[in-house]
Amino acid sequence: MSAQHNKTSVAAISIFASGGMAAAKFAVGIAIGSLALISEALHSSIDLVATIITWAVVRVSDKPADEEHHYGHGKLESISALGVTALLYVLAGGILVESYSRLREGTPPPTISAVPFVVLVIDIVVNLWRARALHRAARETRSQALAADALHFASDVLGSFAVIIGLILAALGFWWGDAAAAAAVAVMIALLGLRMAGSTVQTLVDRAPEGAQEKATAAILGVPGVIDVERLRLRMVGATTFIDTIAKVPRTYPIDRVEEIKRKAQAAVDKAFGDADLTFTAVPVARDNETVRDRIMVIAHNSGLAVHHVTVHDLGAKLMVGIDLEVDAGMQLDAAHDIANTLERSIQEEFGADVEVDVHIEPLEPELPFGVDAVPDRVRAIASALTEYAAGGEIYDIHNVRVRNTDAGEIVNFHCRATPSMSVIKVHEHVDAIERALRRAFPSVKRVISHAEPPRA
């Protein structure tokens, strides 16, 4: 059974129970002349009205957001609860006025029989069952309207006990017992209304539930990649917790990784709150462990520049930075030089004016031209040469050799193996030597792309 169906079913059952008990208490109250029992019947009548409103509201409150209600329809439950609270106060005022009038005038006590006690005991049992069922449904669906209804029926139990006490006092000869019991019912109704009004108003003014902000902050901070939560705002709309947060993430992260952080943050608050709607604004910040190279790559990325082969030398008194900057091959030199100067100034602003920056301008490598596979004899010849150049060195097992003929020249791809303990720079030096030897032996080779891997397990 869905949560929505459960809410409407419990509310619908409660309508029939409210109507039946209100009618029974009212009829018996009129028959014996008990103001306390009539007051409790009127209280149950208000409950009936409240339950009908609740039944109607919960059928609408779970509707999804639309063009006019961007946060859904959950606030209808709070508005309905506030309306029921107003009815309770009107009822409590009326009962207090009538109780005072009877006490002042000395109205005769009601006629006592077993019937009102039987009706009240049945009413207590029914209300206990309804309060429990509504409270369970409200907890499962986080419905404020059902929670308000559950509180009504729990208070009805106290009201019924007050009426029983008043009737017992009247039976013992205390003529004022019934009117006093009616006044007690009115006070209970007023206290109930006060409690409901406080909770409902807090929801309507978007007060965050107790401890919710700390729980949401902890959930988001638990997501890998989130450095800190700068701001978090939270409010309830029906059963949905809406969370708006600004979180700090490393500025070196690419966009797709930041998006992954957002998805994980949504999953984290869903787990914490059950039903959450998260607005996550990522603010890129520098981390304490950023290297100089990281910071330079961020500067280039933010400027939309393609750079590689970034070298940094710390001479103690100052830094020396070397960068390869790729620009459009057809760009005029003065325009390219302006771009390089701008990059140099940006780096000096980051590290200080005394940093020495050398930018090497080179043409942006185009996409690899279209080509066709070389004939098998040519592939074998190049593969044999690669094996020969690698012989006796720390690079071995030349395999998966591919050769492509393009308008720009031959493109050679190959795989090789190296000792797992070798450093990356050492592997690169050995493979680079093999590539240079191949280009010397085969001048038509335009580019060599190698892939080094550890031995097979």
Side-chain angles (χ1 to χ4, degrees):
M1 181 182 292
S2 67
Q4 170 67 12
H5 185 267
N6 187 34
K7 288 166 70 174
T8 53
S9 297
V10 171
I13 293 171
S14 190
I15 289 175
F16 293 104
S18 294
M21 294 313 305
K25 286 187 287 186
F26 192 77
V28 175
I30 291 293
I32 67 174
S34 170
L35 175 61
L37 194 53
I38 293 173
S39 299
E40 186 57 26
L42 291 173
H43 185 194
S44 295
S45 300
I46 294 294
D47 287 345
L48 174 60
V49 174
T51 306
I52 293 173
I53 294 173
T54 301
W55 179 78
V57 166
V58 296
R59 294 173 63 87
V60 179
S61 62
D62 279 352
K63 286 184 177 181
D66 54 35
E67 293 183 359
E68 295 180 345
H69 306 87
H70 298 177
Y71 291 93
H73 301 75
K75 284 289 178 73
L76 288 174
E77 294 195 11
S78 300
I79 294 173
S80 71
L82 199 61
V84 171
T85 301
L87 290 176
L88 288 174
Y89 273 113
V90 171
L91 174 61
I95 294 173
L96 283 174
V97 169
E98 182 62 25
S99 298
Y100 175 74
S101 176
R102 291 200 176 196
L103 288 171
R104 186 183 61 185
E105 296 173 4
T107 303
T111 304
I112 304 301
S113 68
V115 175
F117 292 99
V118 172
V119 171
L120 287 168
V121 170
I122 294 174
D123 183 59
I124 289 172
V125 172
V126 171
N127 282 330
L128 284 174
W129 173 82
R130 286 192 297 171
R132 186 180 175 207
L134 285 166
H135 180 71
R136 184 169 55 248
R139 187 176 62 249
E140 291 173 355
T141 61
R142 300 208 294 176
S143 168
Q144 192 172 41
L146 289 183
D149 241 5
L151 192 59
H152 279 168
F153 299 132
S155 70
D156 281 353
V157 173
L158 297 177
S160 296
F161 275 119
V163 175
I164 289 175
I165 293 172
L167 292 176
I168 292 174
L169 288 173
L172 294 175
F174 298 97
W175 64 269
W176 47 264
D178 183 64
V185 170
V187 171
M188 290 179 188
I189 293 172
L191 292 175
L192 168 66
L194 182 63
R195 180 177 175 182
M196 283 183 55
S199 174
T200 303
V201 169
Q202 287 179 8
T203 300
L204 288 173
V205 298
D206 292 331
R207 179 178 179 181
E210 188 72 26
Q213 185 175 32
E214 291 78 8
K215 184 164 69 171
T217 301
I220 294 172
L221 283 175
V223 176
V226 175
I227 297 174
D228 192 16
V229 172
E230 185 175 298
R231 188 195 74 191
L232 188 141
R233 296 186 295 191
L234 181 148
R235 65 172 173 169
M236 296 293 299
V237 179
T240 303
T241 305
F242 285 87
I243 303 169
D244 177 6
T245 187
I246 297 176
K248 296 178 181 179
V249 300
R251 63 177 182 171
T252 54
Y253 279 9
I255 294 176
D256 56 349
R257 189 164 181 184
V258 173
E259 288 300 314
E260 179 65 19
I261 290 174
K262 291 181 180 180
R263 287 192 292 271
K264 290 182 178 178
Q266 177 66 63
V269 295
D270 278 338
K271 183 178 180 181
F273 292 93
D275 181 14
D277 189 306
L278 175 66
T279 300
F280 187 103
T281 302
V283 177
V285 296
R287 291 180 294 179
D288 295 338
N289 62 348
E290 275 187 2
T291 65
V292 173
R293 185 175 287 103
D294 288 336
R295 294 163 68 182
I296 292 173
M297 293 303 292
V298 168
I299 292 170
H301 175 76
N302 291 341
S303 302
L305 301 178
V307 301
H308 65 278
H309 199 204
V310 178
T311 59
V312 180
H313 299 282
D314 188 352
L315 302 182
K318 66 176 181 178
L319 289 176
M320 295 185 63
V321 178
I323 305 173
D324 286 355
L325 170 65
E326 297 181 2
V327 299
D328 187 350
M331 182 180 291
Q332 293 182 349
L333 178 59
D334 55 353
H337 188 260
D338 288 341
I339 293 174
N341 282 341
T342 301
L343 177 59
E344 290 178 8
R345 286 194 298 271
S346 297
I347 294 173
Q348 288 170 342
E349 289 174 1
E350 177 77 11
F351 296 98
D354 59 342
V355 64
E356 186 176 311
V357 185
D358 290 315
V359 178
H360 170 66
I361 302 173
E362 60 181 47
L364 183 67
E365 290 193 15
E367 295 291 331
L368 290 179
F370 175 78
V372 295
D373 290 337
V375 297
D377 288 345
R378 183 64 172 176
V379 175
R380 282 193 292 270
I382 290 179
S384 177
L386 288 170
T387 303
E388 180 184 345
Y389 302 145
E394 297 189 66
I395 302 298
Y396 63 96
D397 188 17
I398 304 294
H399 61 282
N400 198 17
V401 178
R402 288 149 292 152
V403 181
R404 228 173 9 147
N405 290 321
T406 72
D407 293 337
E410 289 177 308
I411 307 295
V412 177
N413 296 72
F414 72 92
H415 287 204
C416 61
R417 302 191 186 278
T419 305
S421 59
M422 287 180 66
S423 65
V424 173
I425 186 64
K426 201 70 175 175
V427 172
H428 177 75
E429 289 173 354
H430 284 282
V431 172
D432 197 42
I434 295 173
E435 293 177 2
R436 288 197 303 271
L438 182 67
R439 284 197 296 269
R440 284 195 301 267
F442 297 86
S444 59
V445 173
K446 169 67 175 176
R447 187 176 180 189
V448 181
I449 304 170
S450 60
H451 174 70
E453 54 197 15
R456 291 192 182 94

